[in-house]
Amino acid sequence: MATNKAIHNFHIPVMGLSYTIDSPIRVAQYGISSVISIIDDDVIEKMNKFYTEKYNLFYESISLKVEDYRAKRITAYLDTVQEIVNQKFELFKQELSKSRKSLDHYIQMLPNRSEFKKSLLLYLTEQKENVTETVKDFLDQHLSHGDIDVNIMTKLDKDNFIKDEQLPVIFNDAHASLRGFANSKLASSLVLSAGMNPRLYSYIESFNDFFPDENGILRKKITLKVSDYRSALIQGSFLAKKGIWVSEYRIESGLNCGGHAFATNGMLLGPIMEEFKQKKNELIQTIHELMSKALTQKGIVVPTEYLDLKVTVQGGVGDGEEHQFLLENYNADAVGWGSPFLLVPEATSVDIETRELLAKAKEEDLYLSDISPLGVKFNSLKGTSNELLQKKRISENRTGSSCPKKFLALSKEFTPKGTCTASKVYQDIKLADLFEEKETMSQEEYDKKKNKITEKACLCVGLSNSTLIENGIPLKGEKQGVVVCPGPNMAYFDKEVSLYEMVRHIYGNANILSDSNRPNMFIKELNMYVDFLKDEIIEFSDTIANAQIKKWESFKLNLLEGIHYYENLFSDTSFFKAIQEKVKTQLADCKMEINLIQIPQLEPVL
């Protein structure tokens, strides 16, 4: 039986609603872990049909008329993924045992300091004869497929109705997604992102698989995507008081990442990772004590030893040196590589047109937009088919989406059932109200407010269309084109590459970057935060209060403290020697720029 020790020290995070929806089927056999979004049950149902037909597996359609259809669709697809991954994993081991060429090729993809790699090479050296006949036994004992993890964005927990009757909370979108995962055959992790949802977190304790068994084994684990240590402690403690252990804290850069950008208050990735490094043992002890009390009250056996707790990191990592630095300097257990994998057809589900657009993208093509109905800044790419279609509709006064999926129908402004701010229904009402007030404002102010209404895009459809296009699944309903949400790091990856090339690049054994001027990940993030603060001050239009002033001052102070941290870090580390002088100058320039930022003050009361 294979061990559960990870083969690779990187993972592919969730991307969009469907860019990684079948990544485990594509890469898990190589020991690579990836994350599926389980929000869009419509796409999940279509993908289940697609893959069961492709692999000649049993498929039973789950229509909208079936009770609890959302959870059942998710369970069915995840079970299909597990079955296919198991098949491909067995075939891959057979291939490695029969072909020395394939085995050598795979060995070159493994981490340089991998224990599995060392053991395998030693085994092959010691086995003088019949290597191909015996290596299968070795692989069965030591090789594991990658994890099939799933993601729920906790804010996407819309209430659901049958006609005008509101269903119980457990039928909310995120709750049903959680149930779909809990009822599946997977033994993997649920990645929760976008902050704490107390009702959803409390629902986790309804499922036994999230509690340790008599041997301290968790069949299903919790991973929290967090922005800082304080958030990890608060959320981890909340779950621990219910007997739920968080197996992984996944730290993500607030701005130097893809998807929605949840900016921290000027807290930079390096100092955040340093705090986790210093306080990890304290976190384990605190959470273990809280969990133990809860398990005792529930009559569940308390593990005699601390359960495993991983700290991983992601956001803007671009080369092997940065990857290894995060592992060694911060003792990170793994590093997430997201956006670059959009250029790897073997790993992600992206249509040809979008992949070509991503490969051509430069720094100026990647920006933070306001297109998300959630009201959170959203990483966007200029020139997508969704953007072009949206501009065309606006020019023809046909703004807003028909909103077929309603996952983001969260505004209760007009109806208790919720409305999406990107929908035609919502935008028609808001535009009519704005038109009535037109004479009270300047044309510039009117145009600005109108754009704020109409710029919201239908992410539910746009973020899933690419997968359907790639797999030849017909698109139905109103044309929305494709939305893609890469991180700023996408600007430095400019060509389609194979999985083999990308993995070799991650481990520093190859280089797929054409631009040698790519900024260090920490410097890139720092500059983004400086720009973010300046833009926020300029764009702020509400009445300025003391609380807002203090927030900006705190933001500025955190940036300056972060620079001081990096000055010491880059001076002391054995990494980044080739760019140390350049970084020193960049940090000094940033410090000067921050000190020049003027924080608005309250006007004195006369």
Side-chain angles (χ1 to χ4, degrees):
M1 179 166 178
T3 65
N4 290 321
K5 192 170 180 62
I7 300 300
H8 289 278
N9 53 38
F10 77 90
H11 59 263
I12 303 176
V14 67
M15 286 187 276
L17 292 177
S18 66
Y19 290 109
T20 56
I21 197 165
D22 59 354
S23 290
I25 291 175
R26 298 169 184 247
V27 303
Q29 68 266 31
Y30 306 113
I32 299 172
S33 297
S34 56
V35 187
I36 297 172
S37 170
I38 53 171
I39 287 298
D40 190 339
D41 64 280
D42 175 63
V43 169
I44 282 173
E45 174 70 8
K46 290 173 180 175
M47 293 303 288
N48 193 33
K49 184 175 187 294
F50 173 81
Y51 272 110
T52 50
E53 290 178 354
K54 183 175 181 178
Y55 284 87
N56 196 29
L57 302 174
F58 173 75
Y59 169 74
E60 182 177 7
S61 174
I62 302 173
S63 76
L64 300 179
K65 296 179 181 180
V66 174
E67 183 180 359
D68 202 20
Y69 69 88
R70 180 177 172 79
K72 289 177 180 176
R73 284 176 165 185
I74 291 166
T75 300
Y77 179 61
L78 295 180
D79 286 349
T80 294
V81 173
Q82 177 71 79
E83 187 170 355
I84 294 171
V85 166
N86 287 342
Q87 283 185 20
K88 294 188 73 173
F89 183 52
E90 288 304 316
L91 289 173
F92 181 60
K93 287 189 292 183
Q94 290 177 24
E95 178 189 348
L96 295 182
S97 65
K98 294 177 181 178
S99 168
R100 184 57 189 257
K101 182 179 178 181
S102 296
L103 185 59
D104 289 340
H105 186 269
Y106 182 58
I107 289 172
Q108 292 177 44
M109 288 177 64
L110 296 172
N112 299 325
R113 304 179 188 182
S114 162
E115 289 300 320
F116 170 72
K117 183 176 183 177
K118 291 178 184 176
S119 299
L120 178 56
L121 289 172
L122 179 62
Y123 177 83
L124 294 175
T125 302
E126 292 176 345
Q127 296 294 313
K128 303 297 183 183
E129 299 177 358
N130 301 321
V131 172
T132 56
E133 295 178 13
T134 59
V135 73
K136 178 65 164 56
D137 292 335
F138 180 91
L139 295 174
D140 285 338
Q141 293 176 17
H142 299 282
L143 184 60
S144 301
H145 66 64
D147 291 332
I148 309 167
D149 294 333
V150 304
N151 171 257
I152 295 176
M153 193 173 180
T154 58
K155 295 182 183 299
L156 303 187
D157 199 24
K158 176 179 58 67
D159 299 327
N160 285 308
F161 293 75
I162 293 182
K163 295 184 178 180
D164 292 327
E165 181 182 351
Q166 183 172 339
L167 296 173
V169 172
I170 63 168
F171 292 101
N172 284 13
D173 283 354
H175 281 67
S177 295
L178 168 58
R179 184 165 57 257
F181 169 65
N183 291 335
S184 74
K185 298 174 183 176
L186 294 185
S188 58
S189 293
L190 168 64
V191 183
L192 296 166
S193 60
M196 187 162 72
N197 178 339
R199 290 194 306 186
L200 182 67
Y201 282 21
S202 298
Y203 187 49
I204 295 172
E205 62 180 324
S206 302
F207 304 97
N208 291 333
D209 278 0
F210 290 102
F211 294 104
D213 64 17
E214 61 275 10
N215 297 313
I217 303 298
L218 292 166
R219 179 167 176 77
K220 288 184 169 65
K221 301 176 182 178
I222 297 294
T223 292
L224 293 183
K225 192 182 287 187
V226 295
S227 57
D228 55 42
Y229 181 82
R230 180 175 176 273
S231 174
L233 181 60
I234 291 171
Q235 295 186 66
S237 297
F238 183 92
L239 288 165
K241 289 175 182 177
K242 301 181 179 302
I244 304 296
W245 179 260
V246 176
S247 297
E248 179 184 338
Y249 293 90
R250 189 163 287 187
I251 298 101
E252 183 174 53
S253 169
L255 292 180
N256 198 13
C257 60
H260 287 90
F262 296 94
T264 62
N265 192 34
M267 296 172 63
L268 303 173
L269 189 61
I272 290 170
M273 289 300 297
E274 185 67 38
E275 186 172 14
F276 271 93
K277 177 182 176 180
Q278 299 299 330
K279 295 182 178 179
K280 181 177 179 179
N281 289 335
E282 178 185 331
L283 179 65
I284 291 172
Q285 293 171 9
T286 300
I287 301 301
H288 178 81
E289 289 176 7
L290 292 173
M291 182 193 69
S292 297
K293 291 178 182 178
L295 292 179
T296 300
Q297 292 172 354
K298 292 175 180 291
I300 298 174
V301 176
V302 177
T304 55
E305 299 179 355
Y306 292 141
L307 297 179
D308 288 341
L309 187 152
K310 294 180 179 179
V311 174
T312 64
V313 57
Q314 58 197 47
V317 189
D319 61 37
E321 186 175 26
E322 290 176 351
H323 178 87
Q324 196 60 35
F325 175 79
L326 292 169
L327 296 175
E328 292 189 23
N329 189 72
Y330 297 117
N331 299 327
D333 292 283
V335 177
W337 282 69
S339 298
F341 271 101
L342 292 172
L343 296 179
V344 183
E346 294 163 82
T348 54
S349 187
V350 185
D351 66 281
I352 294 173
E353 181 183 342
T354 302
R355 187 168 274 131
E356 289 177 348
L357 188 65
L358 287 164
K360 294 176 183 176
K362 304 300 180 186
E363 287 183 343
E364 60 270 20
D365 300 315
L366 300 155
Y367 67 105
L368 282 177
S369 75
D370 291 304
I371 69 171
S372 172
L374 287 178
V376 179
K377 292 288 185 181
F378 189 73
N379 280 281
S380 299
L381 172 64
K382 293 178 182 178
T384 62
S385 52
N386 175 272
E387 179 189 347
L388 300 176
L389 285 167
Q390 188 182 25
K391 286 181 177 179
K392 184 175 185 294
R393 282 198 296 268
I394 291 173
S395 69
E396 298 171 350
N397 292 317
R398 295 188 299 110
T399 63
S401 160
S402 61
C403 198
K405 297 189 178 184
K406 296 182 169 55
F407 298 129
L408 293 173
L410 301 173
S411 171
K412 299 295 182 74
E413 188 174 352
F414 304 125
T415 169
K417 291 185 178 181
T419 314
C420 179
T421 58
S423 69
K424 178 174 175 55
V425 170
Y426 183 91
Q427 292 188 11
D428 281 352
I429 295 173
K430 299 300 280 189
L431 289 171
D433 291 344
L434 179 64
F435 186 77
E436 290 184 2
E437 302 172 7
K438 185 175 182 180
E439 293 184 1
T440 66
M441 62 188 78
S442 67
Q443 186 64 43
E444 182 182 0
E445 185 181 2
Y446 175 80
D447 290 341
K448 186 176 181 180
K449 289 187 175 181
K450 181 180 178 181
N451 180 66
K452 193 171 183 179
I453 295 169
T454 59
E455 68 185 343
K456 303 303 179 188
C458 180
L459 300 188
C460 297
V461 176
L463 284 172
S464 59
N465 274 348
S466 186
T467 292
L468 302 181
I469 294 169
E470 190 211 19
N471 291 301
I473 300 172
L475 302 183
K476 296 181 179 179
E478 182 183 44
K479 284 187 177 180
Q480 292 292 348
V482 171
V483 176
V484 66
C485 47
N489 203 31
M490 191 78 253
Y492 315 111
F493 294 83
D494 60 2
K495 57 181 176 291
E496 181 180 303
V497 296
S498 68
L499 180 65
Y500 175 81
E501 291 172 306
M502 180 60 73
V503 174
R504 297 266 296 163
H505 175 79
I506 289 171
Y507 293 137
N509 298 321
N511 178 35
I512 62 173
L513 295 174
S514 303
D515 187 357
S516 60
N517 292 318
R518 175 188 165 272
N520 176 270
M521 60 177 289
F522 294 121
I523 300 300
K524 176 68 175 179
E525 185 199 48
L526 171 60
N527 282 313
M528 293 178 69
Y529 268 99
V530 174
D531 291 340
F532 185 89
L533 176 59
K534 291 193 296 185
D535 291 344
E536 188 173 88
I537 293 173
I538 292 171
E539 295 173 5
F540 193 81
S541 58
D542 295 335
T543 302
I544 296 177
N546 263 323
Q548 183 60 56
I549 293 172
K550 289 180 179 178
K551 180 183 176 184
W552 283 331
E553 289 174 342
S554 174
F555 197 115
K556 185 174 177 179
L557 179 62
N558 285 336
L559 288 179
L560 291 170
E561 289 179 347
I563 288 175
H564 179 68
Y565 170 84
Y566 285 140
E567 287 172 338
N568 293 327
L569 178 71
F570 280 92
S571 296
D572 295 340
T573 182
S574 59
F575 286 83
F576 312 123
K577 290 297 184 184
I579 61 169
Q580 276 191 355
E581 288 304 313
K582 181 179 179 180
V583 166
K584 185 177 179 181
T585 301
Q586 291 171 326
L587 291 173
D589 291 343
C590 278
K591 185 187 294 186
M592 185 182 301
E593 190 174 359
I594 293 167
N595 283 323
L596 290 173
I597 296 175
Q598 296 295 314
I599 305 295
Q601 299 297 316
L602 293 176
E603 295 183 5
V605 179
L606 300 178

